[in-house]
Amino acid sequence: MGGRGRGPSPVPRVRRARQAAPRAGPPPAVIDRKQMSHVQLGLQPAPGRFAVIRRAGLLRARFIAGFLVLPVALYVTYVIAPYAQAFYIAMTDWRGVSASPRFIGLENFRRLFADSVFWTAVGHNALLLVLLPLLTIVIALFFAFLLNAGGESGGGHGGVFGARFYRVVFFFPQVLAVAIVAVLFQQVFRPDRSGMLNAPLMALGLDPVGFLSNPDVAFWSILGVLVWQAVGFYVVLFSAGMASIPREMYEAARIDGAGRAQLFFQVTLPLLWDTVQVGLVYLGIAALDVFAIVWVMTAEHGGPDHSTTVMAAEIYRNAFQYFRFGYASALGVVLFFFTVAFAALTLRLSRRERIEF
């Protein structure tokens, strides 16, 4: 009887409450407050933080600009401005005396392309552009390989005996000024018994050779002097590049049975290609800009009969002998585009995959 007086049990009510409760969804994802921005979290950033960052950026920009202003100003003043002035003068008939030259448009360029002397000079520069880099780099690579990997010491991959002394000897022409080199070879090429080359020929009863007076020989004499002057620098340059090649590569190639020729073409040259590419560009620009050797050594400053003239010599002749500064500037503009086109084309065609070692 006591159980009946207590009323219904509370257990069914709990079950009904549980059954009536809606089914809960998946548990909410855990939010990483560190990865959320201030906006997503509904927080306001500290007002002084962005000001400090902005101030640091301004200080950095001022610091960089302080270092760049002077070099950029000097470059614009002494490089860009003269180029722009040369382009303008090339389209005038300025003779160096009038304050306001007369604008004639492209007339100087029309006269230039109809000038036979101009095309002769272009032909000589083109020939130098092919032969000077080719001969200089081949000879320099040969001597540099002998100095670094041509000896029998160190397991067959060491340099020849006295390699350091030979490097100094090869580099010696770079110490001499170009004008001194030209005067020196004027004496070497003299057509009498005082000439270093003609004296032995005349002692043997042979006729002297007009190295600088014969139109068929003069250009090749100039080329020989240019190669002699340039080889030493590139011997040292290529020697430094070869010295950085790990000797383990030479030793591995020797173990595989590689000879000297295979060592050069399969090990040295591929690893040295970036340095050779730089040499090609520098020598090409030197071939286009050659002036002092031709002007000092040859008769008539590019003779005889324009057989050794080059574009730089014609620029100087027209500007400072004929006082045709507008025409000379047109020559300079053409030479500028030739040089830029050559450098860009050489870098493009000689590009290869870089080998890391």
Side-chain angles (χ1 to χ4, degrees):
M1 289 184 60
R4 294 179 182 176
R6 294 178 182 176
S9 176
V11 176
R13 295 180 182 176
V14 174
R15 289 178 180 175
R16 285 196 297 269
R18 289 180 180 177
Q19 292 176 358
R23 181 174 297 179
V30 179
I31 299 176
D32 189 356
R33 299 174 64 88
K34 294 182 180 181
Q35 296 180 358
M36 296 184 67
S37 65
H38 288 81
V39 177
Q40 292 172 328
L41 293 174
L43 302 176
Q44 294 295 329
R49 182 177 179 184
F50 286 161
V52 172
I53 296 175
R54 190 181 303 111
R55 188 179 306 166
L58 290 175
L59 290 176
R60 185 182 306 169
R62 291 176 184 175
F63 180 77
I64 296 174
F67 277 95
L68 291 179
V69 166
L70 183 59
V72 170
L74 291 174
Y75 186 80
V76 170
T77 303
Y78 295 105
V79 178
I80 302 299
Y83 277 137
Q85 188 177 21
F87 287 131
Y88 169 72
I89 295 175
M91 292 184 288
T92 66
D93 62 351
W94 191 49
R95 300 186 66 87
V97 292
S98 60
S100 55
R102 185 169 61 93
F103 185 82
I104 59 174
L106 300 178
E107 180 62 28
N108 284 325
F109 293 96
R110 283 193 287 267
R111 290 171 49 203
L112 183 68
F113 294 133
D115 189 357
S116 61
V117 176
F118 165 74
W119 290 111
T120 301
V122 170
H124 291 157
N125 277 115
L127 200 55
L128 289 174
L129 187 60
V130 174
L131 295 178
L132 180 60
L134 179 63
L135 294 175
T136 302
I137 287 179
V138 168
I139 296 172
L141 282 173
F142 174 74
F143 284 120
F145 186 72
L146 288 181
L147 294 177
N148 288 272
E152 294 298 331
S153 62
H157 55 267
V160 297
F161 177 76
R164 294 182 179 178
F165 171 75
Y166 291 133
R167 288 193 188 98
V168 174
V169 173
F170 280 124
F171 192 76
F172 180 71
Q174 297 297 315
V175 180
L176 301 176
V178 179
I180 295 177
V181 172
V183 172
L184 175 67
F185 275 92
Q186 267 188 331
Q187 303 304 314
V188 172
F189 291 147
R190 284 180 67 89
D192 51 25
R193 292 186 180 276
S194 62
M196 184 181 294
L197 297 180
N198 278 316
L201 296 177
M202 297 177 71
L204 295 174
L206 301 176
D207 294 332
V209 178
F211 290 101
L212 298 176
S213 59
N214 187 343
D216 297 329
V217 181
F219 177 82
W220 305 107
S221 302
I222 295 295
L223 176 61
V225 175
L226 292 172
V227 172
W228 179 86
Q229 183 198 19
V231 160
F233 174 79
Y234 291 96
V235 168
V236 176
L237 180 67
F238 295 152
S239 295
M242 291 179 188
S244 66
I245 299 176
R247 291 189 177 274
E248 290 78 7
M249 293 190 174
Y250 288 111
E251 293 173 356
R254 288 282 187 182
I255 293 174
D256 292 339
R260 294 186 188 277
Q262 291 174 318
L263 279 177
F264 177 76
F265 288 105
Q266 297 182 11
V267 178
T268 303
L269 190 57
L271 297 178
L272 200 66
W273 184 252
D274 288 343
T275 308
V276 174
Q277 185 185 46
V278 172
L280 282 171
V281 175
Y282 283 175
L283 284 167
I285 294 174
L288 291 172
D289 294 340
V290 60
F291 169 72
I293 295 289
V294 173
W295 193 262
V296 175
M297 281 185 62
T298 59
E300 304 169 1
H301 307 301
D305 195 21
H306 300 293
S307 61
T308 59
T309 190
V310 289
M311 293 182 66
E314 292 305 314
I315 292 173
Y316 186 90
R317 192 192 323 276
N318 280 278
F320 299 105
Q321 289 187 348
Y322 303 154
F323 298 101
R324 298 188 297 187
F325 287 94
Y327 188 79
S329 295
L331 274 165
V333 169
V334 173
L335 180 58
F336 168 79
F337 283 112
F338 279 173
T339 304
V340 172
F342 165 77
L345 191 62
T346 302
L347 291 174
R348 178 68 178 176
L349 295 180
S350 60
R351 183 183 302 172
R352 294 177 58 179
E353 183 179 355
R354 188 180 183 128
I355 301 176
E356 300 290 342
F357 58 91

